[in-house]
Amino acid sequence: MQAVLDYLNQNQPRFLAEFCDYLRFPSVSAQPQHQPDVQACAAWLVAHCRQIGLEAKLCETPGHPIVVAKTPPAAAPRSPGGHFVVYGHYDVQPPEPLDLWQSPPFEPRLDGRVIYARGSTDNKGQNFAHLKAVEAYLKTGTPLPCDLTFVIEGEEEVGSASLAGFLKQNRTELDCAAVVISDTGIPSLQHPALTCSLRGIIAFEITLHGPARDLHSGIFGGAVENPAMALARLLARVRDDKGRITIPGFYEDVTPLSKYERQQAARYPLKDAQLKKLLGSPRLFGEHGFTPTEQRSARPTFEINGLTSGYQGEGSKTIVPAWARAKITCRLVPNQNPARVRKIVVAYLKKICPPTVRMEITAGHGAEAYYVSPAGPLVQASLRALKQAFGAEPILMREGGSIPIVNEFKSSLGADSLLLGLGLPDDNAHSPNEKFSLDCFERGQRLSAFLWPELAGAKQGRLS
Ligand code: BES
Ligand code: MN
């Protein structure tokens, strides 16, 4: 192990240069004009995996390719500790709005110990840390105690449409004891964390249709429904003053937080005042009776993500718009069924929709929440590795974000996911000036180095 740690210590400048090469690909999965860049990024990753000693291939899919890279059989003699999959994604969110970036999103900029670029924290830096740790094992000839397969996809930010099918087709090859994922966060470098729960999600769009065309608001306004007004009224009825969603049955299947869980949530070190400052909002607001940590990780939500109607240009235009639209997502928590929640939400919206407009609802993606018991041996082994890598006692936490594919890992491969995030709360994932700290990058490499002996040991322990 010392050889692995020495190798990591000695090679940071080169790792940083390579990380920058990875970040320079504008691998924006959502934007068709970046399709060649996504492809090029995947090809670069395959070449890089081969260079560090992995057996890598590019797997084409109906969408963006998946990179699969395995440790060679000689790297883990007899592989006593079983097989683990390391999952990550090389695709990134669109960088817009560009004018808010202090430097171009695909020209990585180093400022002190922080690197700025789209995809730096979500998720290139996090998956690259694992690759570098495994490189250290392979290049120092240190035997790995288990076999590893990296699965790095290019469609995470657009819903992982191809990966679910890929998992089903490659069940035997990907059969594993657990999936290791670094695609979440930690509260701070002093507080490493294992995430034991993610929220689920349902997405949909509501359109209210009013008059057949935009109308002169002076000539006709007052005598005809305004769809934007109707939509505003409709959406306002979904939440009360106490931040509770008023849709009947919305909370029905939500498992109440136990005393122990509330104690765990209270240990989350980011205080309300810090959170308020971080978010730049005049005031925090959420469902009464729950702390902000609980509100954003363990309670379901109903959010308007986008709202469009009428004239959006400069100056004024006196019209009654023909239609109004809202893009909505609800975050779900463990034990809520996405199909059922979708049904009751749609039923309620239809029920309260006035007859003065015609409502159209289109369904988007959906995924269940995720929960893994912290008591399991592999979770406990991961906590030990976190402690060694960060030199601090790790915390167990729930995260509010979603990684829908973890449910497929469970259903297709029967594997739990070990969520070992490396991002910081102010890393600006999905926002302008996304960043990743080199401290997180280095601790992530150490985490990965310590993780394999711990996981392999726990796996053997459990089998014997
Ligand atoms: N890495 C994030 C998810 C995440 C971030 C989970 C922080 C927990 C903490 C992932 O790339 C992401 O953004 N997922 C989307 C999924 C959605 C599009 C289905 C999300 O959560 O919005
Ligand atoms: Mn993301």
Side-chain angles (χ1 to χ4, degrees):
M1 174 60 76
Q2 195 51 46
V4 169
L5 298 177
D6 289 344
Y7 183 93
L8 293 177
N9 281 334
Q10 286 152 13
N11 286 280
Q12 289 307 318
R14 175 172 57 83
F15 290 177
L16 177 59
E18 293 166 348
F19 182 27
C20 289
D21 290 342
Y22 191 10
L23 290 170
R24 274 187 206 101
F25 291 96
S27 46
V28 184
S29 48
Q31 298 176 335
Q33 75 268 28
H34 282 301
Q35 150 81 41
D37 301 311
V38 174
Q39 194 78 31
C41 187
W44 178 88
L45 201 52
V46 169
H48 191 79
C49 289
R50 287 183 184 150
Q51 204 178 308
I52 67 176
L54 294 169
E55 292 174 355
K57 59 184 178 189
L58 188 117
C59 302
E60 293 293 352
T61 73
H64 299 308
I66 298 168
V67 176
V68 176
K70 285 175 189 300
T71 47
R78 299 181 310 279
S79 61
H83 178 218
F84 292 86
V85 164
V86 185
Y87 164 81
H89 61 96
Y90 66 83
D91 65 322
V92 305
Q93 285 275 319
E96 286 80 9
L98 292 174
D99 54 315
L100 293 182
W101 284 79
Q102 281 171 19
S103 53
F106 299 109
E107 292 173 25
R109 170 172 61 94
L110 189 66
D111 181 1
R113 296 275 297 158
V114 174
I115 186 127
Y116 288 85
R118 171 55 90 227
S120 52
T121 189
D122 188 7
N123 168 257
K124 289 173 174 173
Q126 303 202 41
N127 59 59
F128 206 55
H130 284 283
L131 283 172
K132 294 293 105 179
V134 172
E135 170 185 330
Y137 274 93
L138 298 176
K139 295 287 177 183
T140 56
T142 309
L144 272 157
C146 51
D147 293 307
L148 300 177
T149 303
F150 283 83
V151 175
I152 307 181
E153 69 151 321
E155 297 183 335
E156 197 276 346
E157 300 293 3
V158 289
S160 302
S162 304
L163 186 57
F166 183 83
L167 295 181
K168 288 201 184 81
Q169 281 161 19
N170 296 277
R171 231 181 241 153
T172 325
E173 190 184 340
L174 298 176
D175 179 51
C176 61
V179 182
V180 169
I181 305 180
S182 291
D183 192 20
T184 51
I186 52 174
S188 82
L189 279 163
Q190 288 72 45
H191 299 90
L194 183 138
T195 293
C196 62
S197 176
L198 294 166
R199 284 195 286 191
I201 194 164
I202 52 168
F204 56 97
E205 275 185 27
I206 312 170
T207 309
L208 296 188
H209 298 274
R213 69 201 78 86
D214 290 358
L215 301 174
H216 191 298
S217 63
I219 301 175
F220 301 109
V224 66
E225 178 67 281
N226 181 315
M229 291 292 284
L231 184 60
R233 286 175 62 105
L234 189 92
L235 292 174
R237 287 183 62 180
V238 165
R239 198 185 78 186
D240 70 15
D241 293 345
K242 293 192 167 136
R244 237 184 116 76
I245 304 306
T246 52
I247 300 168
F250 189 74
Y251 295 100
E252 206 169 276
D253 297 325
V254 175
T255 320
L257 282 170
S258 66
K259 199 173 155 206
Y260 174 72
E261 290 222 73
R262 300 199 83 167
Q263 282 167 351
Q264 288 294 316
R267 283 180 63 206
Y268 185 82
L270 194 73
K271 295 296 159 233
D272 296 2
Q274 287 169 282
L275 181 66
K276 176 177 164 304
K277 192 160 168 244
L278 179 74
L279 305 184
S281 191
R283 220 179 146 149
L284 293 179
F285 174 78
E287 189 187 354
H288 286 205
F290 297 91
T291 66
T293 301
E294 292 166 349
Q295 287 159 354
R296 67 194 185 94
S297 64
R299 297 295 296 168
T301 63
F302 181 106
E303 302 281 4
I304 303 171
N305 305 128
L307 205 47
T308 325
S309 180
Y311 180 62
Q312 310 276 322
E314 254 176 77
S316 84
K317 185 182 183 196
T318 47
I319 55 164
V320 174
W323 56 267
R325 177 171 303 141
K327 287 181 185 279
I328 309 283
T329 49
C330 294
R331 294 285 169 169
L332 309 180
V333 297
N335 206 42
Q336 280 188 301
N337 176 312
R340 187 182 165 272
V341 178
R342 193 187 290 282
K343 212 167 127 194
I344 61 169
V345 169
V346 169
Y348 181 69
L349 292 169
K350 290 208 161 138
K351 187 174 152 228
I352 64 171
C353 179
T356 50
V357 285
R358 179 172 61 81
M359 177 181 272
E360 184 191 337
I361 296 187
T362 49
H365 55 84
E368 246 175 274
Y370 183 70
Y371 183 81
V372 60
S373 165
L378 296 178
V379 170
Q380 290 299 320
S382 306
L383 291 171
R384 289 194 293 275
L386 280 170
K387 186 171 178 178
Q388 293 173 75
F390 284 78
E393 201 57 56
I395 64 171
L396 263 173
M397 59 184 228
R398 287 178 175 233
E399 281 265 36
S402 309
I403 306 179
I405 201 67
V406 295
N407 297 308
E408 308 294 329
F409 287 134
K410 187 80 194 180
S411 61
S412 288
L413 308 178
D416 273 318
S417 293
L418 302 166
L419 299 158
L420 302 166
L422 301 172
L424 292 172
D426 64 352
D427 270 354
N428 295 324
H430 295 203
S431 298
N433 304 305
E434 180 176 347
K435 68 171 181 67
F436 193 54
S437 152
L438 294 186
D439 294 324
C440 291
F441 186 38
E442 287 175 18
R443 306 250 174 116
Q445 295 163 32
R446 288 167 60 83
L447 165 65
S448 189
F450 288 121
L451 188 63
W452 310 121
E454 286 292 352
L455 289 182
K459 176 85 199 326
Q460 278 175 294
R462 200 173 50 166
L463 290 178
S464 62

